[in-house]
Amino acid sequence: MDFTFTEEQQAAVEAARAVFAGVAPDGVPSPALTPGAVADDFDRPLWARLAAGDLLSLVLAPEHGGAGLDAIALCLVLRESAKVLARVPLLEHCATAMAVQAHGADALAAELLPDAGRGALVLTAAAHGRTGHDPAELAVTARPDPGTSTSTSTSAGTAAGTTPGTGTGTGGWVLDGVQTAVPGAHSADWIAVPAHTGEDGSGAVLALVPRTAEGLTLAEQYSTSGERLAELTLDAVRVPAHRLIETPGAWEDLRRLLATGTCALALGLGEGVLTMTSQYTSKREQFGFPVATFQAVAVQAADRYIDLRAMEVTLWQAAWRLEHPGSGGPLPAAGDVAVAKIWAAEGVRRVVQTAQHLHGGFGADTDYPLHRYHAWAKQLELQLGPAAAHEEALGDLLAAHPLA
């Protein structure tokens, strides 16, 4: 594995820094002072700048108007976005687009990806199941629609009724179930919904559902960071065959990419917080000296720096494995993702807690941006889930794949 970034990946970072340079973390009301969502919509002007900078099409193939870059480039951009608390569904949008590109039918890719790359439509994904603790694919059932006949949709170079990524060639599907805490659902045009096709919960599939679909309702939810979420209820929502992806592993690939991207957000946020803390402690004086020169302060800051470097190396290991699934190794890619999630969930919490401590009263001042970072960090920690659960999953993988 080579941790050296390519020229294209480095160019993506520079483009992202230019776009995010003018973003203010306190551009919306404080979540600590707002009973509901801090805003009804995400940052549309920033979304337009991302589209103009070709950052929304970064991971799309050239035939869809993109640059053809990979998950590592996406994580690099996400890292920059989190440093300024960018209020855009960049992770969900790009990850869903990658899933459609890799596993969806040609007709679905042509329907969604060009406009997604231009920012003309917004994609998101439901990844938290019914409660946030159960597997997302078990929260929704998908069954063949008895009211439709064999599909007449065709993809380029594909016979009718046998579109890639659908397998069965049936005319349509019906979805029923609930998904909680879907980011940006009220503003998105399409939502990727995982579901299962078997009575025992087997057969994970991925459906692309328009937000305005008949039978789909959204209930208001709010994140710890004050962002608007939604609980999705699907009541006999009909999905054409070409919009349901049955390719084995499609949902698992999307789920791992979302988890890895969340780790990138945690890393970027943590780096932003440590930089803020370094600047504050270098200026804040006690007994005539900057508090940064005190040994107790320096040791705590150094510990958090070590956390961030561990978060970084495990992130790039996971992202690299996602792009090289056949690279071998003692454990499957799920093991690397689990390790990255362990460090991200615990590391980002320790970083913001230390920052609050070293800032003293300023850490709780709602006129100072640190409390916003703390709220976002807690939301990311909740999305990642408890480190103990990932350690248990890692233990199961080690048991199933003994190290030689």
Side-chain angles (χ1 to χ4, degrees):
M1 185 176 60
D2 185 0
F3 279 130
T4 304
F5 299 118
T6 66
E7 291 184 6
E8 292 81 4
Q9 291 166 346
Q10 292 172 345
V13 173
E14 293 303 317
R17 287 175 178 167
V19 171
F20 294 126
V23 177
D26 54 358
V28 293
S30 166
L33 304 177
T34 308
V38 294
D40 291 334
D41 199 2
F42 60 84
D43 190 339
R44 292 282 181 174
L46 176 57
W47 190 254
R49 295 199 297 274
L50 288 169
D54 295 327
L55 291 172
L56 298 182
S57 60
L58 192 72
V59 294
L60 298 181
E63 57 263 32
H64 300 303
L69 297 187
D70 55 12
I72 297 173
L74 174 60
C75 287
L76 284 166
V77 174
L78 291 170
R79 180 188 190 179
E80 297 302 317
S81 75
K83 292 178 181 179
V84 295
L85 305 184
R87 297 183 53 259
V88 286
L90 183 61
L91 169 57
E92 294 80 12
H93 179 84
C94 291
T96 301
M98 291 179 73
V100 171
Q101 178 172 259
H103 303 291
D106 292 344
L108 182 62
E111 183 178 13
L112 300 184
L113 298 186
D115 283 343
R118 292 191 295 267
L121 61 81
V122 181
L123 308 175
T124 190
H128 302 296
R130 181 181 293 271
T131 65
H133 301 288
D134 53 331
E137 68 275 14
L138 300 183
V140 176
T141 59
R143 52 187 170 83
D145 186 353
T148 58
S149 58
T150 303
S151 173
T152 57
S153 299
T154 59
S155 299
T158 308
T162 58
T163 51
T166 62
T168 63
T170 55
W173 295 81
V174 179
L175 303 184
D176 293 281
V178 176
Q179 293 279 355
T180 193
V182 181
H186 292 279
S187 303
D189 299 288
W190 293 81
I191 305 170
V193 180
H196 67 90
T197 58
E199 292 183 0
D200 58 352
S202 61
V205 296
L206 191 63
L208 272 295
V209 181
R211 174 175 50 83
T212 56
E214 184 177 356
L216 176 66
T217 57
L218 306 179
E220 293 281 350
Q221 292 181 320
Y222 311 106
S223 72
T224 301
S225 56
E227 296 301 313
R228 196 180 185 196
L229 306 177
E231 180 185 73
L232 269 63
T233 300
L234 301 102
D235 184 8
V237 174
R238 284 176 163 77
V239 178
H242 77 281
R243 292 182 186 163
L244 189 128
I245 301 173
E246 289 186 82
T247 306
W251 160 239
E252 188 63 20
D253 287 349
L254 175 56
R255 186 186 66 80
R256 289 175 183 168
L257 180 56
L258 289 170
T260 305
T262 305
C263 293
L265 293 172
L267 174 62
L269 186 148
E271 289 175 331
V273 167
L274 192 62
T275 298
M276 187 186 309
T277 305
S278 174
Q279 294 171 346
Y280 175 79
T281 56
S282 296
K283 297 176 182 177
R284 176 77 167 90
E285 291 188 359
Q286 285 186 354
F287 310 111
F289 297 94
V291 296
T293 62
F294 298 172
Q295 185 178 32
V297 172
V299 167
Q300 291 183 69
D303 285 342
R304 301 296 78 84
Y305 178 82
I306 293 170
D307 277 335
L308 290 174
R309 297 291 68 81
M311 291 166 64
E312 182 177 19
V313 71
T314 54
L315 165 65
W316 301 132
Q317 169 82 6
W320 188 86
R321 286 297 303 276
L322 292 183
E323 288 298 323
H324 301 84
S327 59
L331 294 178
D336 297 286
V337 175
V339 173
K341 290 166 74 175
I342 291 168
W343 275 103
E346 292 200 330
V348 74
R349 171 174 50 79
R350 288 195 291 257
V351 168
V352 295
Q353 286 179 342
T354 296
Q356 291 279 14
H357 175 64
L358 296 182
H359 273 81
F362 266 97
D365 187 346
T366 55
D367 291 328
Y368 189 73
L370 181 58
H371 77 287
R372 297 175 183 268
Y373 284 85
H374 201 156
W376 278 63
K378 178 54 66 174
Q379 179 62 34
L380 292 175
E381 184 185 356
L382 292 171
Q383 287 178 218
L384 288 165
H390 308 318
E391 291 166 352
E392 183 177 352
L394 183 60
D396 292 339
L397 287 171
L398 288 168
H401 303 82
L403 301 180

